[in-house]
């Protein structure tokens, strides 16, 4: 009997233990799940750290930026300003901030007018591309073709003096273009690179199309023909593209005060004829008149009037102006009007605006809920210098950047989606607002991930 009683007691004890296990085990499991979820929630409160983009993601992001947020060569100021009341003698003109293409003033800027010798900027643009592509080099020397000899140029042409028996370098021809405005230099370069003027013009026109210039077309390389066309707006865009891509050209070529040609080095060693060196002076008379002026190019034919594309830099600020259809009888009078217009536009622009250089591109990591990834980087869709109105002394140094981000970001997210904005302002005036966009695509997570994130999001955001 004693043994039976002991056995019964042991069985009851085991039963109690089993009963305890039935609620202890679930309790432990629940506590573990609660702890794990609490840890998950805690992790979601920490600053996210998105993984670096791989090559394919970077390529897709660049495609999105180019397609959804393109930066045109020219555009309006992103904030309202009172139009300037400026009188210029030229029939048409424009002035822009070279750093971002913002138009500050314009007058009949879409009038189609022959560019005359300003055409040579397009020639130099193509030549520098050819140098960069390895098609030629600045030191390449060759004998100019007969069609490029000065004596075969049309009457009243601007010339650098190319002739028979000469050897000339690409560099010297570019000097002849920029300083002497040599029509012979333009023809020599056209034959050198393309075999004919016609083929070279096709190449120039193709490059203008790539820049989006619809009214800028060339039938010759020198600008002599009245069938060459452009507008002040489009030529300002070309000038901006040119100096943005080839900034050294300003110092080397467009601000050179003079150029001597030909010299002894331009003839073979056994040459016994006479060498008549000519000193040519820059046709851009504003180089010595407007502070900071270091380019670009003048032009005149009767059908266009007196034209000039001009650029000047002071501190961080560079402006580009183009005036076309300037009046005047003879070069001296035409230059007086060109000088008056160029000086007025530049002095007004420097007195009214300054450029704030682009700040380092902002990158903001943010939390993404219910996605296959937990975080995304927000980037500025655009990053460029700002044109700042001179509303106070050194206004450009007072630019303030603030960012605003969407409160709750839930997957799916597409690369390029706007999820916030960056605001640039000075003295309380908003200069520009730029979208903050997702740098990657994040798809929806699975059912458990979405459910867990919904709960965690409610707990965190209620706090």
């Amino acid at each position: 009997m004693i043994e039976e009683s002991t056995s019964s007691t042991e069985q009851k004890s085991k039963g109690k233990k089993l009963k305890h296990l039935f609620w202890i085990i679930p309790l432990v499991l629940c506590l573990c799940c609660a702890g794990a979820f609490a840890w998950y929630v805690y992790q979601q409160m920490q600053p996210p750290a998105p993984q670096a983009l791989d090559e394919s993601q970077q390529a897709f992001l660049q495609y999105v930026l180019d397609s959804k947020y393109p930066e045109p060569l020219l555009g309006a100021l992103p904030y309202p300003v009172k139009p300037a009341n400026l009188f210029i003698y030229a029939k048409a003109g424009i002035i822009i901030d070279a750093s971002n293409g913002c138009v500050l003033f314009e007058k009949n800027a879409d009038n189609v007018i022959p560019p005359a010798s300003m055409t040579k900027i397009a020639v130099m643009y193509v030549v520098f591309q050819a140098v960069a592509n390895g098609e030629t080099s600045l030191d390449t020397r060759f004998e100019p073709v007969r069609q490029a000899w000065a004596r075969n140029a049309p009457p009243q042409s601007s010339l650098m003096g190319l002739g028979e028996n000469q050897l000339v370098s690409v560099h010297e021809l570019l000097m002849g273009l920029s300083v002497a405005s040599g029509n012979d230099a333009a023809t020599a370069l056209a034959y050198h690179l393309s075999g004919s003027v016609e083929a070279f013009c096709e190449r120039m026109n193709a490059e203008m199309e790539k820049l989006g210039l619809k009214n800028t077309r060339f039938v010759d390389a020198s600008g002599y023909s009245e069938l060459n066309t452009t507008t002040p707006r489009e030529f300002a865009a070309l000038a901006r593209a040119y100096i943005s891509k080839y900034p050294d050209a300003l110092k080397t070529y467009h601000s050179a005060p003079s150029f001597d040609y030909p010299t002894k080095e331009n003839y073979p060693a056994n040459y016994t004829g006479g060498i008549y060196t000519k000193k040519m002076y820059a046709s851009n008379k504003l180089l010595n008149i407007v502070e900071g002026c270091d380019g670009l190019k003048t032009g005149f034919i009767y059908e266009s009037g007196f034209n000039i594309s001009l650029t000047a830099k002071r501190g961080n600020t560079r402006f580009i102006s183009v005036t076309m259809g300037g009046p005047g009888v003879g070069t001296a009078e035409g230059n007086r009007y060109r000088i008056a217009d160029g000086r007025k536009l530049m002095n007004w622009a420097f007195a009214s605006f300054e450029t704030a250089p682009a700040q380092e591109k902002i990158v903001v990591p943010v939390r993404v809920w219910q996605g296959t990834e937990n975080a995304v980087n927000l980037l500025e869709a655009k990053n460029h210098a700002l044109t700042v109105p001179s509303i106070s002394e050194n206004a450009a140094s007072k630019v303030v950047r603030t960012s605003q981000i969407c409160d709750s970001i839930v997957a799916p997210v597409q690369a390029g989606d706007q999820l916030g904005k960056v605001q640039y302002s000075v003295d309380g005036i908003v200069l520009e607002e730029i979208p903050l966009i997702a740098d990657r695509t994040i798809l929806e997570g699975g059912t458990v991930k979405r459910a867990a994130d919904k709960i965690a999001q409610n707990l965190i955001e209620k706090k």
Side-chain angles (χ1 to χ4, degrees):
M1 293 295 294
I2 295 173
E3 289 179 0
E4 290 179 6
S5 176
T6 302
S7 176
S8 175
T9 301
E10 289 177 350
Q11 288 177 354
K12 288 180 181 180
S13 177
K14 288 180 180 179
K16 287 181 180 180
K17 288 181 179 179
L18 287 173
K19 286 181 180 179
H20 288 314
L21 287 175
F22 281 128
W23 66 265
I24 289 174
I25 290 174
L27 178 61
V28 171
L29 289 174
C30 287
L31 289 173
C32 289
C33 289
F37 187 73
W39 176 249
Y40 179 77
V41 172
Y42 173 76
Q43 285 184 314
Q44 308 319 303
M45 296 172 65
Q46 306 308 306
Q51 293 183 349
L53 298 179
D54 60 30
E55 289 186 7
S56 63
Q57 288 175 312
Q58 291 175 1
F60 184 69
L61 175 62
Q62 190 58 55
Y63 166 77
V64 170
L65 289 172
D66 293 340
S67 57
K68 290 184 67 174
Y69 305 98
E71 295 236 36
L73 279 172
L74 296 190
L77 281 168
Y79 53 89
V81 293
K82 184 179 179 181
N85 184 21
L86 290 177
F87 170 80
I88 59 173
Y89 293 100
K91 292 178 182 178
I94 194 171
I95 187 164
I96 68 168
D97 186 332
S99 68
N100 53 31
C102 285
V103 177
L104 311 179
F105 168 83
E106 61 180 276
K107 172 188 174 182
N108 302 326
D110 295 311
N111 282 13
V112 177
I113 301 171
S117 280
M118 291 197 311
T119 295
K120 296 176 176 79
I121 293 297
V123 174
M124 296 181 74
Y125 182 81
V126 172
V127 172
F128 284 127
Q129 279 190 331
V131 170
N133 294 338
E135 298 174 56
T136 189
S137 73
L138 295 176
D139 297 326
T140 297
R141 294 170 66 84
F142 58 92
E143 185 175 347
V145 297
R146 181 182 295 272
Q147 293 89 332
W149 295 351
R151 72 187 188 197
N152 294 326
Q156 297 182 324
S157 291
S158 299
L159 301 167
M160 70 175 285
L162 296 180
E164 193 174 2
N165 298 316
Q166 293 178 3
L167 289 172
V168 64
S169 69
V170 171
H171 167 72
E172 289 172 315
L173 290 170
L174 291 172
M175 290 294 291
L177 283 178
S178 57
V179 177
S181 195
N183 290 3
D184 49 353
T187 302
L189 285 165
Y191 273 90
H192 172 58
L193 289 178
S194 300
S196 71
V197 170
E198 293 75 17
F200 187 76
C201 286
E202 289 180 9
R203 181 167 179 173
M204 283 203 296
N205 290 334
E207 292 303 324
M208 298 307 104
E209 288 181 9
K210 289 178 184 178
L211 293 174
L213 308 183
K214 298 178 180 180
N215 296 298
T216 302
R217 291 293 177 269
F218 305 105
V219 300
D220 72 15
S222 67
Y224 187 83
S225 174
E226 75 279 8
L227 299 179
N228 296 318
T229 61
T230 191
T231 69
R233 189 185 310 279
E234 290 196 359
F235 205 87
L238 170 60
R240 181 183 177 228
Y242 173 64
I243 64 178
S244 295
K245 199 167 184 179
Y246 308 111
D248 292 342
L250 290 175
K251 181 179 180 181
T252 303
Y253 298 104
H254 298 289
S255 59
S258 63
F259 172 56
D260 295 337
Y261 188 87
T263 66
K264 184 173 65 174
E265 286 72 25
N266 296 113
Y267 290 92
N270 60 354
Y271 180 72
T272 58
I275 299 176
Y276 305 99
T277 301
K278 178 183 176 183
K279 180 175 283 291
M280 293 158 278
Y281 295 92
S283 60
N284 182 2
K285 304 307 177 186
L286 285 111
L287 289 174
N288 299 317
I289 294 175
V290 172
E291 179 188 349
C293 180
D294 51 5
L296 293 163
K297 189 74 189 70
T298 59
F300 170 80
I301 56 174
Y302 291 108
E303 293 83 356
S304 73
F306 288 89
N307 305 333
I308 187 169
S309 56
L310 193 67
T311 185
K313 183 179 181 181
R314 301 175 192 172
N316 292 320
T317 304
R318 176 180 289 282
F319 297 122
I320 298 170
S321 70
V322 178
T323 54
M324 304 184 71
V329 178
T331 302
E333 187 176 35
N335 273 333
R336 282 202 298 272
Y337 290 119
R338 279 196 291 213
I339 290 169
D341 285 349
R343 177 188 281 167
K344 178 179 288 187
L345 287 172
M346 285 295 171
N347 288 343
W348 169 79
F350 280 109
S352 304
F353 301 94
E354 55 185 315
T355 301
Q359 298 185 28
E360 185 178 351
K361 202 167 187 176
I362 194 171
V363 179
V364 184
V366 295
R367 181 71 170 83
V368 176
W369 298 103
Q370 303 179 40
T372 52
E373 295 182 50
N374 291 329
V376 65
N377 281 323
L378 301 189
L379 311 174
E380 289 178 277
K382 302 178 181 181
N383 184 242
H384 52 221
L386 299 172
T387 304
V388 182
S390 299
I391 54 179
S392 62
E393 188 175 358
N394 297 321
S397 64
K398 303 175 185 176
V399 173
V400 175
R401 177 170 66 182
T402 56
S403 58
Q404 300 175 17
I405 301 169
C406 295
D407 292 335
S408 184
I409 300 173
V410 179
V413 172
Q414 298 294 323
D417 283 353
Q418 181 174 350
L419 301 174
K421 64 181 180 180
V422 172
Q423 190 178 84
Y424 290 89
S425 61
V426 61
D427 292 345
I429 297 175
V430 177
L431 301 176
E432 189 168 6
E433 288 185 347
I434 296 176
L436 277 174
I437 64 167
D439 72 337
R440 70 196 68 201
T441 295
I442 298 180
L443 302 177
E444 279 188 327
T447 303
V448 174
K449 178 70 161 59
R450 295 201 306 273
D453 274 10
K454 282 182 182 179
I455 298 171
Q457 182 181 2
N458 287 331
L459 289 173
I460 291 171
E461 292 184 351
K462 280 183 179 180
K463 291 182 179 181

